[in-house]
Amino acid sequence: IMAGEPEGSRALGGLLSGLARDAFHGQPGITEELLRSQLYPEVPPEEFRPFLAKMRGVLK
């Protein structure tokens, strides 16, 4: 992560990294709740779910 990088892009990078580890490397324990609580704690679950689904689609 580069210094001065906006907080949002760091969170998005972490989200995509976590989804990739889950989808392509079968790393256990990467749950929706873990990703939300670690990266987007201010976003309610009902708003995070559609965003997460969209990002999973981007990775595929």
Side-chain angles (χ1 to χ4, degrees):
I1 309 289
M2 295 169 28
E5 184 175 355
E7 190 65 34
S9 63
R10 186 164 75 226
L12 181 59
L15 178 66
L16 292 173
S17 175
L19 289 175
R21 288 194 312 258
D22 179 45
F24 303 116
H25 305 293
Q27 186 171 341
I30 299 176
T31 64
E32 174 186 320
E33 178 53 33
L34 174 73
L35 294 169
R36 190 187 67 77
S37 68
Q38 294 292 311
L39 300 168
Y40 296 94
E42 72 287 351
V43 177
E46 61 274 7
E47 290 179 24
F48 183 70
R49 241 171 247 120
F51 175 66
L52 186 62
K54 186 181 292 186
M55 293 302 106
R56 278 194 172 113
V58 166
L59 280 177
K60 290 180 180 177

